[in-house]
Amino acid sequence: MAEGPILKVDRLYKHFGGVQAITELSFELAEGELLGLIGPNGSGKTTAVNLISGFVKPSRGAIIYRGRDITGLAPYAVVRLGIARTFQMVKPFYQLPAYKNMIIPLYSPRVKQMIGGRYGDRDAVALDLLEEVGFERDSQVAYKSASVLPQGYLKRLELAKAIALKPDLLILDELFSGLSLAEVASIVPVIEKLRKEGKTIIMIEHRLKELFRIADRVVVLNYGMKIAEGKPEQVMETEEVKKAYLGVEV
Amino acid sequence: MERRLERIDRGIKARASGVFALSSWREMLYLSAPRLIPALGFLLLPLVLDNYWQKVLLSMAVFALLAISWDILAQTGMISLGQGLFFGLGAYCSGILNHSLGLHPLLAVPVAAILGGVISTVVLLPVLRLRGVYFSMVTLIIPLMLIRIIEATKIFGGTEGLSGIAPLPSKWVELYFILSVLLAALFGFRRMLSSDYGLVLKAIKDNDLSVINAGINIYWYKAQALFIAGSLGALCGAFMTHVYMFVGMPVFALDYSILPIAAAVVGGPGTLAGATLGAAILVPLSEILRGIGGLRIVFYGYFLVVFIVVLPEGIFHYIERKYHQFDRWVEVE
């Protein structure tokens, strides 16, 4: 890319008390790229996402987004710059119907700024977005309370809420976990469509098979450190990764 | 001729969501009665009540407004135990505006409402980050602190308070002022809370992290809710200052913090109408029990427990549900 990376993570450190969650993490992300962030449980993947999205402040290091230092910025300010994320543990508004869940991101300053002034009828926009991620329009499922939706729909709702923010960089934290093969298969086209629109995406995943099919590059974390980076198939061949994933001495 | 039961609301609701297609006076009445009856009731009641019960009605309106103020905060996820703070700040603001600056009561009350709202927002700004019981504790403590500050420093008349404050022009102005404020607050804030803006406030209660993640600064919205609720509470205090023609330390008393919560919980939290209904039941009940002397608070407490045990959802939610289930006999072809 000529204009430099969209995101640059520069020697990031984070410790919680005595626990070193992230140690000297550095990587770059080019515009339009799909980066997979993988690693065993507790390797610091979600912490890395929390650091980028501003939910956790790093102990040291810098996060540069489009040439601007966003380290330590409040999460809502990060969203305003065009970085949206989903949560691994879905966080819907359980008291509201699914389509009313969408009103909250549609009400945000980020969307107002992108659209310029009034959105018009937010309910209609919400229903369109939900249909895009697989809430079948004639099934009435979009009108159901989030408290009765099955996990698959909650994950899709989480994705739709992030897409509603019209992000340039989308961070998906274990979107596929807890979904059936069929459900994953129905979401993959949504992600491919987002890529065609030129969005940059970071995916944290345990479902490596599905991830490797769409990822350009992966970064592997273990104990908060980057142990490998590169094309999916190459990375899985390195000994460090085999050891971290399979626990065998090779 | 065969007959069967049919729900009245079925035809109305089936036609459209949000848009009502009404085909008869009867259906129109069904939809408008829940709004018209309380509105007309509050406006006509002062004409039929005697002097004593007019005062009770006035006190009921004030507690209903405090309960609405509490409910707005509660719907935003802030459980306040200190409506007394808003009430007291408004009372002192209006008292000082009238006592020292000679402002006319009808001007002093709205100015004090805004001023009280601003001060209470600024005072609570540092604790907006607190959630749940931690926020509640702070709101409980601040009015009690203010009492001691006034007592110790003897500002604003100290323990004596400020007396000789100008009353409102007449008792009819008093009554209709507070009743119209109550109706405006009830219907206005109900509308506000059901709009997209209100949805954001309710979402903060539901899951504040998720609202932040949608790029919304929740502290800004919480501050706005606090200002709205604070102004409403301050307006009650300012108004009562001119009714009593006196303002003193009792305005920060616990009564103004606790009774509104009881009203909102008994009436049905989350609807504002429930808060109003709760006050309309509890305040007169307290007056009726006045006759039995010392045991009054025991019976009052007993009724509170009965209400909460029998109808934990709140009286308003119960009535609302039953209203939707009204049916009528129709002839079957």
Side-chain angles (χ1 to χ4, degrees), chain B residues 57-229:
Chain B
L57 183 66
L58 193 128
S59 166
M60 180 238 106
V62 166
F63 277 109
L65 279 167
L66 284 171
I68 287 175
S69 152
W70 180 86
D71 205 7
I72 292 172
L73 280 187
Q75 290 197 41
T76 318
M78 294 182 276
I79 304 297
S80 153
L81 294 177
Q83 296 311 101
L85 170 68
F86 309 148
F87 186 89
L89 282 174
Y92 265 101
C93 281
S94 197
I96 295 160
L97 284 172
N98 181 255
H99 195 264
S100 310
L101 302 176
L103 228 57
H104 189 275
L106 282 177
L107 194 61
V109 171
V111 173
I114 304 283
L115 215 57
V118 170
I119 299 173
S120 38
T121 310
V122 170
V123 167
L124 289 174
L125 219 47
V127 296
L128 275 189
R129 279 168 192 278
L130 299 183
R131 282 190 276 189
V133 73
Y134 305 101
F135 178 82
S136 310
M137 288 308 294
V138 175
T139 57
L140 178 66
I141 292 161
I142 292 177
L144 303 178
M145 268 164 55
L146 287 178
I147 295 183
R148 297 300 157 218
I149 290 174
I150 291 169
E151 193 182 358
T153 60
K154 300 193 172 52
I155 44 166
F156 310 136
T159 45
E160 309 272 300
L162 301 169
S163 45
I165 288 165
L168 288 156
S170 77
K171 79 167 184 186
W172 296 107
V173 175
E174 263 176 21
L175 267 169
Y176 278 101
F177 174 79
I178 200 70
L179 286 172
S180 36
V181 170
L182 173 60
L183 287 175
L186 174 58
F187 292 112
F189 289 128
R190 255 178 89 88
R191 170 158 284 213
M192 178 191 88
L193 286 169
S194 60
S195 70
D196 287 353
Y197 174 79
L199 220 54
V200 173
L201 295 186
K202 289 184 206 164
I204 292 174
K205 176 191 178 187
D206 206 336
N207 196 329
D208 53 355
L209 272 185
S210 201
V211 180
I212 296 177
N213 195 39
I216 290 173
N217 181 352
I218 59 164
Y219 305 110
W220 171 236
Y221 281 84
K222 277 181 161 186
Q224 288 176 19
L226 205 52
F227 172 73
I228 292 168

Side-chain angles (χ1 to χ4, degrees), chain B residues 242-310:
Chain B
H242 295 286
V243 171
Y244 293 141
M245 294 185 277
F246 164 81
V247 58
M249 293 179 341
V251 292
F252 287 113
L254 222 47
D255 307 27
Y256 297 112
S257 300
I258 301 304
L259 215 149
I261 303 179
V265 170
V266 165
T271 56
L272 305 193
T276 312
L277 184 66
I281 292 169
L282 290 186
V283 174
L285 178 71
S286 159
E287 286 306 318
I288 292 165
L289 293 176
R290 206 173 273 279
I292 59 174
L295 282 176
R296 172 177 166 232
I297 200 74
V298 176
F299 279 91
Y300 188 70
Y302 174 74
F303 276 115
L304 266 182
V305 172
V306 168
F307 279 134
I308 292 169
V309 170
V310 175

Side-chain angles (χ1 to χ4, degrees), chain A residues 91-142:
Chain A
K91 293 191 192 303
F93 306 109
Y94 284 110
Q95 295 174 358
L96 302 176
Y99 80 107
K100 287 286 183 193
N101 266 262
M102 301 294 297
I103 302 296
I104 315 301
L106 290 178
Y107 197 82
S108 78
R110 163 82 186 167
V111 175
K112 273 181 199 159
Q113 172 196 322
M114 297 291 285
I115 297 296
R118 277 187 68 85
Y119 212 122
D121 187 10
R122 291 196 186 85
D123 287 0
V125 181
L127 289 169
D128 287 344
L129 281 164
L130 284 177
E131 192 180 18
E132 242 174 73
V133 298
F135 280 67
E136 302 83 1
R137 193 171 281 264
D138 43 1
S139 71
Q140 299 293 319
V141 69

